[in-house]
Amino acid sequence: MEINVLLVDDEVVDLEWLRRRVAGNEHLPLHNVRTAASGFAALKMMEQYPVDIILSDIRMPIMSGMEFARKAKEINPEVHIVFISGHQDFSYAKEAIQLSASGYLLKPVDDDELNHMLSGLCAKIEKERKQHTSLSETLTLVNQELLLRWFNEATPGQVETHIQSFLVPYLQDASAVAIVEIDDMAWKIESWTEEKRSVWSSSANHFIRKFAHDQNLGMVITTYDYHFVILAAVQEQYFTALMEELIRAFYQEFSFSITIGRGMYTTELDKLHKSYRQAQAALSIKWIVGKNRLIQDASEWHPKEKIAADVEVIVDRMLKAMLDYDLTTIDDCLLQLFAGDSPISQKNDIYDIIIRITSKLHADLRQMDEHLYEILNWDSHHPFVLFQFETVHDILSWLRRRFFELSELLYLKRQRQKRKLIDEITEYVKGRLEQKVTLNEVAAHFDFTPNYLGHLFKVETNSLFSDFLGELRMKRVCELLGDPTKKIYEIAEQAGYKNIIYFNRQFKQYMGMSPGEYRKRNKI
């Protein structure tokens, strides 16, 4: 701990005498002991250098010690001030207390009293700094948690102001997000005790943080399940080499491999969120491209193309077929993907095309806020499945089953979402039947265009929205007609019809009889 002291006195002899006594104390952690012969000079010095303790004469010309202390507190409210004066000026003590002075020494100052005062202030400052450090660390953890939440938002919202200032140093010279994942943890530590897991996890955490600190790599945030987020502050040309060194060093230390996914470098806050998403996408193809390595942004990674030159076009068509639950088209697309002009000379040719297919499918689904591997519940053993196949037919059969399964799951999920939407719209319309309800109004409420909502209704209910609305009204009218105390014109108004003639015409069109005939037939 280093503490800086400023001595202020207009008497040069007294000032030098005091300087020697303070600076000569080897038992105190005093870093700099500076002097000033006036309040003006002292204030100027405070603007240039850090000051923790001030010992000032209380009686000085032009600017008194009291006036100087007030201005010093304005510059640094946390500075500790001790006044020194003779017995005749002891009346100033009351005013000094009002200024929150840290002490008051009488001339001639006793050595023991001076040392006791300085020792107490140094201990107080050390305690304050520890509290401040603890608070700063807590705030940093809070900032990191808020940053992670922002990273994990599907659509990034407005970043908190203090988080923006927190990120400014990282964005000045461009920064990127990388995600570190310790490989195969699920099965490797399955037999470990909870205590052993905790100790090992702490050691791994410390190792990665120390590596980042020693290499000036940037900020490390520990997340979940042995994952770490690195906000890289090093220049892009050095990043790859440092990540490869981290992978090598970690394996050498723990005999565990790590895989790192990396996003793009950027100086823009919004694109930093995209960099995080790219790092996630890169890490998600680990099961295909292998572990114990650095995987760059998945959208920029392309394996060597040997089969089906128009992979992207075919996969786009296959994804649409999956969403429509069109299994025939999915099968046609798979056959087309593996029927390119280039000959299949090695197994690696097949693996290249599988990587292309799954990478693009995954990237496209991520744009729709879906996750290929989570939907299919694929885990770390699946890479080995691919290498067990010996023929194109076997691989095609495996992919066909997986993609049919994916299509069914996507289709069912979308159907549930559509059914839920239709149910919500139905409830909304039912609650407003007494009013004039239009397709435009309902579409605006659910944030759709009228054309889309009308099309959705036609597809999902096999009826037009106007017919759906009319049917709901007629059902409501029939319910109200069941109450013999209600007049027919009252029922018409309650069902949202303002014109009784139009009401009778509509009712007869739907029910094949007038409202009065309906009551007679049902003996109401």
Side-chain angles (χ1 to χ4, degrees):
M1 181 181 69
E2 297 179 347
I3 294 178
N4 302 287
V5 180
L6 176 59
L7 309 176
V8 188
D9 199 323
D10 62 312
E11 295 291 340
V12 177
V13 175
D14 288 349
L15 187 61
E16 177 60 20
W17 171 82
L18 184 61
R19 186 194 67 77
R20 292 185 180 185
R21 295 173 69 188
V22 173
N25 192 326
E26 298 178 353
H27 301 291
L28 297 176
L30 304 181
H31 179 58
N32 282 309
V33 180
R34 295 185 171 88
T35 60
S38 69
F40 296 104
L43 292 174
K44 188 174 182 180
M45 197 167 289
M46 287 186 69
E47 293 175 349
Q48 297 175 336
Y49 306 103
V51 177
D52 301 301
I53 299 174
I54 296 175
L55 276 68
S56 174
D57 186 14
I58 206 167
R59 182 187 289 272
M60 291 186 295
I62 306 178
M63 181 186 291
S64 68
M66 291 296 184
E67 188 178 354
F68 158 67
R70 290 190 183 93
K71 294 183 180 296
K73 282 283 188 179
E74 291 176 4
I75 296 174
N76 181 6
E78 297 182 359
V79 71
H80 296 268
I81 301 176
V82 177
F83 289 113
I84 302 174
S85 190
H87 287 279
Q88 69 275 20
D89 297 318
F90 193 69
S91 59
Y92 286 111
K94 182 178 179 181
E95 189 176 356
I97 293 172
Q98 292 175 344
L99 278 173
S100 300
S102 299
Y104 196 101
L105 298 172
L106 293 176
K107 292 181 178 180
V109 179
D110 180 76
D111 284 346
D112 290 338
E113 189 177 359
L114 175 63
N115 291 336
H116 179 74
M117 175 71 71
L118 290 173
S119 179
L121 288 176
C122 288
K124 186 176 182 180
I125 291 170
E126 182 178 9
K127 182 179 179 181
E128 290 173 350
R129 288 182 179 176
K130 286 181 178 179
Q131 291 174 341
H132 180 73
T133 299
S134 177
L135 178 60
S136 298
E137 290 175 351
T138 301
L139 288 174
T140 298
L141 290 174
V142 170
N143 286 340
Q144 290 181 3
E145 178 62 28
L146 290 173
L147 180 59
L148 278 178
R149 289 184 185 180
W150 179 68
F151 275 151
N152 284 294
E153 289 178 2
T155 303
Q158 184 66 32
V159 188
E160 299 282 349
T161 303
H162 59 285
I163 296 299
Q164 290 188 28
S165 59
F166 179 67
L167 293 174
V168 165
Y170 294 93
L171 294 172
Q172 287 178 345
D173 298 318
S175 186
V177 179
I179 303 176
V180 180
E181 179 180 70
I182 304 177
D183 300 322
D184 303 320
M185 290 301 296
W187 63 269
K188 282 189 175 181
I189 68 172
E190 189 175 3
S191 61
W192 291 6
T193 63
E194 193 64 35
E195 181 180 1
K196 184 177 180 180
R197 292 184 189 185
S198 178
V199 171
W200 191 92
S201 177
S202 178
S203 298
N205 189 355
H206 175 73
F207 182 89
I208 291 176
R209 289 182 178 278
K210 186 176 185 303
F211 181 91
H213 177 270
D214 293 345
Q215 302 295 335
N216 294 316
L217 186 57
M219 179 175 62
V220 177
I221 306 175
T222 305
T223 60
Y224 62 94
D225 294 340
Y226 308 100
H227 286 70
F228 305 85
V229 173
I230 297 178
L231 190 55
V234 296
Q235 294 181 15
E236 186 170 4
Q237 59 265 38
Y238 303 124
F239 182 81
T240 299
L242 284 173
M243 290 295 94
E244 291 175 349
E245 173 59 22
L246 173 59
I247 291 168
R248 185 200 62 76
F250 192 91
Y251 187 82
Q252 185 175 13
E253 179 72 16
F254 298 101
S255 297
F256 275 71
S257 64
I258 59 175
T259 303
I260 304 173
R262 197 212 89 179
M264 66 178 177
Y265 265 79
T266 181
T267 58
E268 299 177 32
L269 187 61
D270 292 342
K271 289 185 178 178
L272 197 63
H273 184 279
K274 185 177 180 181
S275 180
Y276 177 81
R277 290 295 185 183
Q278 289 176 339
Q280 283 185 317
L283 195 59
S284 69
I285 64 171
K286 176 181 79 170
W287 75 276
I288 299 173
V289 301
K291 57 191 176 185
N292 195 33
R293 56 171 293 175
L294 170 66
I295 307 173
Q296 306 288 357
D297 178 14
S299 65
E300 297 180 1
W301 182 81
H302 300 288
K304 187 176 181 181
E305 183 178 301
K306 290 188 177 180
I307 312 170
D310 53 348
V311 168
E312 285 75 10
V313 176
I314 299 172
V315 173
D316 283 340
R317 188 158 61 92
M318 185 165 64
L319 178 58
K320 183 180 183 303
M322 287 179 179
L323 297 175
D324 294 336
Y325 201 28
D326 182 355
L327 303 185
T328 301
T329 302
I330 294 173
D331 192 43
D332 290 343
C333 289
L334 280 172
L335 292 172
Q336 188 177 356
L337 284 167
F338 288 91
D341 295 332
S342 301
I344 302 172
S345 59
Q346 299 178 4
K347 284 186 178 180
N348 286 338
D349 297 344
I350 297 294
Y351 302 142
D352 281 353
I353 195 66
I354 292 173
I355 290 169
R356 291 291 299 276
I357 295 168
T358 52
S359 295
K360 177 160 177 53
L361 270 179
H362 180 60
D364 290 345
L365 286 170
R366 291 289 287 187
Q367 296 297 318
M368 301 164 58
D369 205 24
E370 298 285 2
H371 196 294
L372 173 65
Y373 311 124
E374 287 180 0
I375 294 173
L376 291 176
N377 195 28
W378 288 356
D379 52 35
S380 58
H381 77 271
H382 277 88
F384 302 103
V385 173
L386 293 175
F387 288 91
Q388 293 173 2
F389 300 136
E390 296 183 357
T391 67
V392 176
H393 179 268
D394 290 338
I395 293 177
L396 270 173
S397 297
W398 185 82
L399 285 175
R400 186 179 292 110
R401 289 195 301 273
R402 298 288 77 77
F403 289 164
F404 282 4
E405 180 186 0
L406 175 61
S407 177
E408 182 177 8
L409 292 171
L410 285 172
Y411 177 79
L412 291 175
K413 185 174 182 180
R414 286 164 67 87
Q415 290 303 110
R416 285 194 298 269
Q417 291 172 340
K418 288 180 180 179
R419 188 65 259 170
K420 182 181 178 183
L421 175 61
I422 296 297
D423 291 342
E424 290 175 353
I425 292 173
T426 301
E427 291 303 313
Y428 175 78
V429 172
K430 282 182 178 179
R432 300 175 66 83
L433 282 176
E434 297 180 10
Q435 307 172 30
K436 184 179 180 181
V437 183
T438 66
L439 176 61
N440 286 348
E441 176 202 346
V442 176
H445 179 79
F446 287 92
D447 200 24
F448 292 116
T449 64
N451 287 340
Y452 175 79
L453 189 60
H455 173 73
L456 179 65
F457 249 87
K458 179 65 176 174
V459 171
E460 296 300 317
T461 66
N462 201 30
S463 65
L464 298 174
F465 179 81
S466 57
D467 294 339
F468 157 79
L469 180 59
E471 185 178 345
L472 281 182
R473 286 193 189 281
M474 287 302 112
K475 287 182 179 178
R476 178 62 175 152
V477 167
C478 290
E479 291 174 4
L480 295 172
L481 285 170
D483 184 353
T485 64
K486 291 184 180 292
K487 308 292 185 184
I488 290 178
Y489 72 85
E490 292 175 338
I491 292 172
E493 289 183 358
Q494 198 168 345
Y497 291 94
K498 304 303 180 185
N499 187 311
I500 189 65
I501 297 174
Y502 177 72
F503 165 71
N504 283 318
R505 185 183 298 122
Q506 287 292 106
F507 188 87
K508 190 166 186 177
Q509 181 180 339
Y510 272 92
M511 303 301 298
M513 66 189 81
S514 68
E517 291 171 339
Y518 177 84
R519 276 184 162 175
K520 287 181 182 180
R521 180 170 297 185
N522 290 279
K523 298 178 181 181
I524 299 171

